[in-house]
Amino acid sequence: RIREAINDVSGMPSTYTNLGVVFMNMKDFNHSDEYFTKALKLYKQNSDSMGMAIAYANLGDLNADKKELFQSLSYYDSSVSISKKNKYLEYLSYNYEHIAIAYSKMKNYEKALEYHELFMNVKDSIYNKDNSAQLTEMQTKYETEKKEKEIVESRAESEKQAAVKNTFIVGFGLMFLLAIFIYKGYSNKKKSNEIISFQKREVEIQKDIIESK
């Protein structure tokens, strides 16, 4: 009622579909048919191909429950046409399976087998498609993890090189300071020796002067 009040034409068909399913489960086929038909009409109005495929499949289920198998096949066929055209594999698989069931109930086992094989083929396609998607996802995940690992390793290597570089700089700096310290020590010692030699020379000169006097 709310969707109708605000004229929500895009949301109403899904609500009609849900009501149709509820009434079908309650075996109230008249109301179920009413809501499924309303949903189909709006899906067509909205040019919603997936919605139309669902609506035809639901009408097929409804007529199958009513034991009106020929009518159910007609609806399933309509859903198959849309599903094929748009490559809706899930709905195509569903329709093939239920067409096979309908033909089996009609004792037309040749057709039942034909559609069962179609159902299995589509099911295999879905399985392979899912597997392919999973493999692609796994490959992407692997590549991502590989790149992340490479980044971590590259970062670790950079940090290692930086640590080595810093160690070298610190070591070189310490060696440089030690060299300066040694050089200053040597210079001071040399200077002290020169002073001592000079003083010794002065003493000798003074001694010579005294001796001369």
Side-chain angles (χ1 to χ4, degrees):
R1 286 195 297 271
I2 294 170
R3 290 189 187 279
E4 287 175 342
I6 62 175
N7 195 32
D8 181 10
V9 291
S10 61
M12 275 192 286
S14 62
T15 304
Y16 286 152
T17 297
N18 291 334
L19 284 166
V21 171
V22 172
F23 281 119
M24 184 170 67
N25 291 334
M26 294 167 64
K27 305 300 179 184
D28 186 344
F29 298 132
N30 289 333
H31 278 102
S32 180
D33 183 75
E34 175 189 346
Y35 283 109
F36 282 151
T37 303
K38 280 184 175 181
L40 177 60
K41 183 179 178 181
L42 279 178
Y43 281 133
K44 286 181 177 179
Q45 181 180 319
N46 297 336
S47 300
D48 185 343
S49 59
M50 185 175 286
M52 289 163 61
I54 294 170
Y56 279 124
N58 285 331
L59 285 165
D61 291 342
L62 173 62
N63 282 273
D65 280 1
K66 290 164 65 176
K67 312 299 182 187
E68 296 177 3
L69 298 177
F70 283 107
Q71 186 62 37
S72 74
L73 288 173
S74 175
Y75 284 122
Y76 286 136
D77 283 337
S78 296
S79 184
V80 165
S81 296
I82 296 170
S83 300
K84 267 186 178 180
K85 183 179 178 181
N86 296 279
K87 297 181 180 179
Y88 301 144
L89 296 182
E90 294 286 351
Y91 301 130
L92 192 59
S93 171
Y94 181 88
N95 286 309
Y96 281 152
E97 182 181 18
H98 286 78
I99 290 171
I101 292 169
Y103 275 123
S104 180
K105 288 178 179 178
M106 295 165 66
K107 311 294 184 186
N108 189 341
Y109 299 116
E110 186 178 348
K111 280 285 186 182
L113 178 60
E114 176 188 341
Y115 277 93
H116 181 73
E117 288 175 349
L118 288 170
F119 158 67
M120 292 302 294
N121 289 337
V122 176
K123 189 177 178 182
D124 287 343
S125 296
I126 294 170
Y127 176 77
N128 292 332
K129 184 180 178 183
D130 289 343
N131 276 354
S132 178
Q134 287 178 1
L135 285 171
T136 302
E137 183 181 352
M138 288 172 67
Q139 181 67 23
T140 303
K141 188 177 179 182
Y142 169 76
E143 292 295 338
T144 302
E145 288 178 351
K146 186 180 176 183
K147 285 180 181 177
E148 288 176 352
K149 185 180 178 182
E150 288 174 353
I151 290 169
V152 170
E153 288 176 350
S154 175
R155 189 178 298 158
E157 183 62 27
S158 297
E159 289 174 356
K160 183 181 176 182
Q161 289 178 0
V164 170
K165 184 179 178 181
N166 291 337
T167 302
F168 175 78
I169 291 170
V170 171
F172 181 79
L174 289 172
M175 287 178 66
F176 182 73
L177 289 173
L178 181 61
I180 291 173
F181 179 76
I182 292 170
Y183 175 76
K184 280 188 175 181
Y186 173 76
S187 296
N188 290 336
K189 187 177 179 182
K190 185 180 179 183
K191 190 174 182 181
S192 296
N193 288 337
E194 286 176 352
I195 291 170
I196 291 169
S197 296
F198 179 75
Q199 289 175 345
K200 187 178 178 182
R201 179 64 181 158
E202 277 192 336
V203 169
E204 289 176 350
I205 292 170
Q206 290 295 330
K207 185 182 176 183
D208 289 340
I209 292 170
I210 290 169
E211 286 179 350
S212 296
K213 286 183 178 181

